[in-house]
Amino acid sequence: MGRPGWTLWVVVVLIGDSLAGPYRPDAEPGPLETNNIEELEVPPELDGAMSDAELVPHHYPAQRAAKVAVHYLNTRHASPYSCIELNRVHKASLEDLGQAGKKYRLQISLKECVSNTDLGQCLAEVLFPGEQEQRAPQVQCSCEGLKKLNNRAEEDALFQRLNTSNSPLSGSNIPDSYGNIAPEMKPMWHLGAAAASFVMLKESNESTLYNMAQVANFTQLETENDQLRFKYHILLHDMISQEILHWKLLVAWSPAGGVSVPQADWEPKCHHCELPLAKSTPEATKPSSAS
Amino acid sequence: MESPVVAVLILVLLSGQSVTGRVLKQIVEPRKYDYTKYHPLSEITAWMKQIETENPGVVSTTIYGKSYENRDIAFLKIGLNSAENKKAIWMDCGIHAREWISPAFCQYFVKEILHTYKTDAKVEEMLKNLDFYVTPVLNVDGYTYTWKDNTTRLWRKNRSPPSTATCNCTGIDLNRNYDAVWGTFGVSTNCCSILYPGPKANSEHETRAVVDFVGARSKDILCFLTIHSYGQMILFPYGHPHIKDPNHDELTAVVKNAGQAIKAVHGMDYIVGALAEALYPAGGTSMDWARLIGIPFSFTFELRDKGEHAFELPENQIQPTCEEAYEGARSIITYVHDKTFHNITTLPNAATTLMATMWTVLLTLCLSSASLL
C-alpha cells in the first residue's frame, strides 16, 4: 500500500472511532448468565404480543417499576436481619397491554442492605393494572442470589428472647432526628421495613416511589400461633408526591413463618394541627399522588 | 492550698470533667467545629461568624434577605482578591427543611476549600478567578421548625401562613415557587399539599432573596448549585418535560463525569440526568429558573441515601457523604472554571476517547503492515 493508502486507512479508522461514540468505562454488563435462572413463563395470551418499548434504565419509569419489584422481594425475604435494596437497573422495557395495564420487564441487580453484599441479578416483571382495576401491582421475579439470605440463627435468638421476655418490647422514633438507631432497635427497624414493604407494594403505581421514612413507634403484643405480634406505626415517604404517609400495622413474625401484615390502616394527615396524629377524620380520603 | 491539691484541681478543671473545665477548654483551645454532626440554625449562624473572623480578606458574610418569620438569610462570600464583576459560583443548601445533610454539606464545602487553597494550587487558582457564594441554610424558618420536636422533623416547606381564606395550612414548597414555568408540573393547588407552589411565582421572601441577588448578577454567575437530599442524583434542567436544554449533551457529559468522581470516593452510585427524565417533571424549581435567566450551568444535587434512612441520614454518614459530594461539586466547578478561563472543555471521558482512537490506529497500522509482508 502506498502512502495515500495508509493515510486513507488512518482517516477511515479515525472516523469510525469517533462515530462509535465516547468510551464508557461503566458500560452495561454483558448478557445475563441464564444458567441459574429459571425461564419466566410467558402466559399464552401474551405470546406473540407487541414487542416491548425499550426504556432508559436510569430514567424514572424503569426506576419506579424496579422499586416495586424490590418491595415484592422484601415481602417474601426481608426479616429483622436482612433487607433487599436495588443496586441498579440494567435493562428495561415496557409493554402497553391496553385495558390490562402496563407491563415492565426489568433486568436488575440487588444488594443486601444489612451486610451490604451483592445479591446478583434478577429478571423481574411488574404489571401495573389498568385504570379500571384498583389492584396492587403484580410482580414476578427470577433471582439468582436470594438463597444467600440466611440469618436463621440470629432470628431464632431474637424470637426466643422476645417470646420469653416478661416485659413487652417497645420503641419510638427509629431512626431519631439525627439518623441514629440504638443497636438493640436495629432488628425492630428492619422488621418494620419488612412489614412496610407489604403496604408499599400494595400502594404502588407508576406515579409513586415509596421508602419507609421512619418507625414512629412499635409495641410488642401477645404472641399468637407461635408468631410474635407487634403494633407498628410507620411513616412512608412517597418521592413523587413528597408526602409522608402514616400507616398503623399489625405485624406478625416468626423465623419459620416469615413476616406478615394481618392488618394495615392508613392514618389521614391532620391538616389543622401540628401535634401527633388524632383519630381518623370524617373527610378522610385515600391520598392520591400529585402529577 | 497545698500544691498536690492545686495540681489535682487544675487537672480536673482542664480535663473538662466539670463545667468550669469545659469553659476553660473553650478559652484555651480554639473552638473546633464538628462537621460530622448536625447543627441547629443558631450554631450555624455562629459558625458563619467564626469562619469570617478566622479568614479575614477571604470570607465575608452578607445578609441578603429575611424569611417570613424575620430570620436572616445569609451567605458566605469566599474568594481571593474579590472585586466587582468577578465571576462567581452560587451554592445554596437547605431549601427543603428536612434535608439536614444539605446544610451539613455546605458547611463542609466551605471548610474544605478554606483548608486546602493554601496547598492546592487548583483551588487557589479557582478562588482567585471566582467568588463562591454559599448559603448554608436558605429555608431558615423551615429548618428551625424541623428542630422543634419529633413530630416536626419531616417538614419540607417554609413557614408562610395560609395564603387563601379557604385553605388553612402553613407553608409553601420553595422549590416550586420560582418563576420557571411556575405552577405546571409536580405541584398541587391544595395549600395543604407538600408540593404547594404558593399563590403565585416569587410569592415567598426566601425566593425573592435569591432572585434579587442572583438575578442582579446573572451575567457573572457561571454555575448555580442547589443541594438537596435524598436520592443520590445529579440533575440538570429542565424539570419541565417538554423543554430541552440546548447544551443538553454538554451537561450530560459534565454530570457523568461528576458521577464518576463521586463513585471514586466511596463507590456510591449517583444517577445523573435531566430532572424531568431522571426523577419527575416539576415546574418552578430554582435550578430551572437559574438556567432560564441565562446561567449556563445549573445543577441539583440529591445527596445520600437511596431510601434506607431517607431524610434521617445517620451522623456517621455525614463525613463520607460530604467527601463524595465535594468531589462531584469540585469536578463541575473545575469544568466551568476551565471552560471560562482556559477555554478547556475536555473531560476525562473525552481524553479516554482520544487514547482509544490512537491505540486503534496503531493496531490497525501494525496489522496492515503485517498482512503486507
Side-chain angles (χ1 to χ4, degrees):
Chain A
M1 242 200 298
R3 198 146 288 231
W6 278 111
T7 318
L8 185 63
W9 195 250
V10 166
V11 168
V12 166
V13 164
L14 282 172
I15 291 171
D17 192 89
S18 59
L19 284 175
Y23 169 63
R24 290 177 211 280
D26 59 339
E28 315 284 284
L32 182 64
E33 280 167 354
T34 50
N35 296 342
N36 304 328
I37 298 180
E38 329 143 21
E39 292 276 50
L40 286 170
E41 262 189 51
V42 180
E45 66 269 20
L46 293 182
D47 220 7
M50 286 187 333
S51 62
D52 298 349
E54 200 74 22
L55 296 176
V56 178
H58 63 273
H59 285 179
Y60 72 76
Q63 291 286 321
R64 290 178 197 177
K67 194 76 162 187
V68 174
V70 170
H71 291 322
Y72 167 81
L73 289 169
N74 274 315
T75 61
R76 293 160 86 84
H77 298 282
S79 80
Y81 293 95
S82 68
C83 66
I84 298 167
E85 67 177 11
L86 179 70
N87 183 22
R88 246 193 217 182
V89 179
H90 297 279
K91 267 175 86 86
S93 65
L94 169 59
E95 192 185 350
D96 192 336
L97 302 173
Q99 294 239 348
K102 300 264 181 58
K103 178 176 280 197
Y104 289 77
R105 289 188 175 82
L106 308 158
Q107 186 183 316
I108 60 180
S109 55
L110 305 172
K111 262 203 172 144
E112 199 287 306
C113 6
V114 179
S115 58
N116 198 31
T117 52
D118 250 301
L119 285 178
Q121 305 226 351
C122 279
L123 293 177
E125 273 191 11
V126 178
L127 171 63
F128 292 108
E131 288 285 306
Q132 266 64 19
E133 318 184 50
Q134 293 296 314
R135 272 191 307 134
Q138 313 277 289
V139 185
Q140 280 179 301
C141 288
S142 286
C143 301
E144 56 184 15
L146 294 185
K147 291 183 181 49
K148 281 192 211 163
L149 295 172
N150 183 359
N151 305 96
R152 194 55 194 256
E154 290 156 296
E155 292 174 23
D156 284 339
L158 177 69
F159 184 86
Q160 275 311 308
R161 194 162 70 243
L162 293 180
N163 202 23
T164 55
S165 155
N166 285 325
S167 49
L169 187 64
S170 65
S172 62
N173 287 300
I174 310 166
D176 68 15
S177 291
Y178 307 92
N180 299 322
I181 302 173
E184 62 272 18
M185 286 294 145
K186 277 218 161 107
M188 310 317 296
W189 176 55
H190 289 303
L191 179 59
S197 298
F198 286 80
V199 179
M200 295 193 285
L201 172 62
K202 188 155 180 284
E203 297 295 310
S204 286
N205 57 53
E206 285 170 287
S207 301
T208 59
L209 187 74
Y210 284 111
N211 290 290
M212 184 178 81
Q214 195 195 45
V215 171
N217 60 64
F218 78 91
T219 314
Q220 187 180 357
L221 305 170
E222 290 273 320
T223 301
E224 250 181 58
N225 303 327
D226 290 323
Q227 298 220 295
L228 294 173
R229 284 156 76 86
F230 305 87
K231 240 179 12 181
Y232 265 84
H233 179 166
I234 56 162
L235 306 182
L236 301 183
H237 172 242
D238 170 27
M239 183 69 83
I240 313 313
S241 69
Q242 290 292 349
E243 293 286 358
I244 300 292
L245 301 136
H246 293 248
W247 282 82
K248 290 224 163 119
L249 312 179
L250 185 57
V251 180
W253 173 69
S254 68
V259 181
S260 63
V261 181
Q263 200 171 320
D265 295 301
W266 171 65
E267 297 283 306
K269 191 160 75 163
C270 174
H271 291 311
H272 308 291
C273 53
E274 325 272 41
L275 302 164
L277 281 179
K279 293 281 186 290
S280 306
T281 53
E283 66 269 15
T285 48
K286 267 289 173 74
S288 59
S289 317
S291 62
Chain B
M1 262 197 272
E2 297 188 19
S3 16
V5 179
V6 173
V8 167
L9 215 76
I10 291 172
L11 276 173
V12 166
L13 289 174
L14 287 178
S15 73
Q17 294 304 313
S18 63
V19 173
T20 323
R22 269 195 208 116
V23 170
L24 276 179
K25 246 179 131 82
Q26 298 279 46
I27 299 167
V28 165
E29 289 172 11
R31 275 180 299 165
K32 282 202 179 122
Y33 193 75
D34 193 343
Y35 293 93
T36 67
K37 291 262 180 295
Y38 295 116
H39 294 275
L41 186 66
S42 56
E43 288 177 16
I44 297 176
T45 307
W47 166 83
M48 289 174 76
K49 291 248 146 24
Q50 184 186 343
I51 290 289
E52 186 180 23
T53 309
E54 288 171 2
N55 296 276
V58 181
V59 179
S60 61
T61 57
T62 301
I63 297 166
Y64 64 100
K66 291 273 194 191
S67 68
Y68 170 74
E69 290 175 348
N70 211 34
R71 292 187 176 85
D72 293 335
I73 304 172
F75 60 63
L76 290 166
K77 179 182 175 184
I78 306 164
L80 301 168
N81 317 317
S82 287
E84 281 303 310
N85 302 326
K86 194 175 165 196
K87 295 297 181 196
I89 307 285
W90 171 272
M91 181 186 291
D92 65 72
C93 291
I95 188 172
H96 286 140
R98 59 193 178 192
E99 299 165 10
W100 283 15
I101 186 62
S102 166
F105 173 67
C106 267
Q107 293 163 71
Y108 177 94
F109 180 86
V110 165
K111 172 208 62 147
E112 197 62 18
I113 56 176
L114 289 173
H115 279 196
T116 56
Y117 79 87
K118 287 177 182 160
T119 49
D120 185 328
K122 191 64 186 175
V123 176
E124 192 193 15
E125 182 199 359
M126 294 201 285
L127 279 178
K128 282 193 174 137
N129 292 330
L130 299 167
D131 279 339
F132 290 77
Y133 293 101
V134 182
T135 300
V137 186
L138 177 53
N139 183 4
V140 283
D141 294 349
Y143 187 69
T144 303
Y145 186 67
T146 59
W147 280 80
K148 185 161 167 269
D149 58 53
N150 292 330
T151 66
T152 63
R153 173 64 177 84
L154 295 176
W155 187 259
R156 166 182 164 102
K157 303 189 282 187
N158 73 351
R159 295 296 295 168
S160 283
S163 47
T164 68
T166 51
C167 186
N168 197 25
C169 287
T170 303
I172 276 148
D173 186 341
L174 290 175
N175 204 29
R176 299 288 185 278
N177 188 239
Y178 286 77
D179 190 6
V181 213
W182 176 88
T184 52
F185 295 87
V187 294
S188 170
T189 50
N190 183 345
C191 89
C192 295
S193 166
I194 209 165
L195 292 177
Y196 178 59
K200 56 180 185 184
N202 279 338
S203 58
E204 301 311 290
H205 292 79
E206 297 86 352
T207 308
R208 288 199 299 274
V210 175
V211 166
D212 290 347
F213 184 85
V214 173
R217 287 162 190 75
S218 62
K219 297 263 178 310
D220 296 326
I221 295 180
L222 303 174
C223 183
F224 184 94
L225 298 169
T226 182
I227 314 296
H228 292 248
S229 78
Y230 60 95
Q232 291 180 210
M233 309 180 109
I234 310 175
L235 305 163
F236 56 83
Y238 286 95
H240 193 289
H242 305 144
I243 313 173
K244 195 165 167 178
D245 198 319
N247 59 336
H248 186 281
D249 290 347
E250 181 187 24
L251 296 180
T252 302
V254 171
V255 294
K256 267 188 109 111
N257 193 48
Q260 283 165 355
I262 288 178
K263 195 172 166 90
V265 184
H266 295 298
M268 286 303 199
D269 283 313
Y270 276 55
I271 286 179
V272 301
L275 171 58
E277 295 174 327
L279 184 54
Y280 44 50
T285 64
S286 63
M287 172 180 73
D288 279 11
W289 170 80
R291 184 67 193 90
L292 285 171
I293 62 162
I295 296 172
F297 297 99
S298 186
F299 300 99
T300 300
F301 275 59
E302 295 279 0
L303 302 180
R304 286 195 198 180
D305 56 20
K306 290 199 290 188
E308 205 193 354
H309 299 87
F311 301 109
E312 292 174 336
L313 192 70
E315 285 179 312
N316 64 16
Q317 285 199 43
I318 294 178
Q319 174 81 10
T321 304
C322 289
E323 284 168 349
E324 69 201 16
Y326 178 80
E327 292 306 321
R330 186 191 161 130
S331 88
I332 291 173
I333 293 165
T334 304
Y335 175 84
V336 172
H337 169 273
D338 288 354
K339 182 179 184 188
T340 308
F341 295 99
H342 301 303
N343 226 4
I344 296 170
T345 55
T346 49
L347 289 160
N349 267 342
T352 319
T353 308
L354 192 62
M355 283 308 298
T357 309
M358 286 168 64
W359 279 114
T360 313
V361 170
L362 211 59
L363 187 66
T364 316
L365 288 172
C366 288
L367 288 173
S368 300
S369 63
S371 67
L372 276 180
L373 295 171

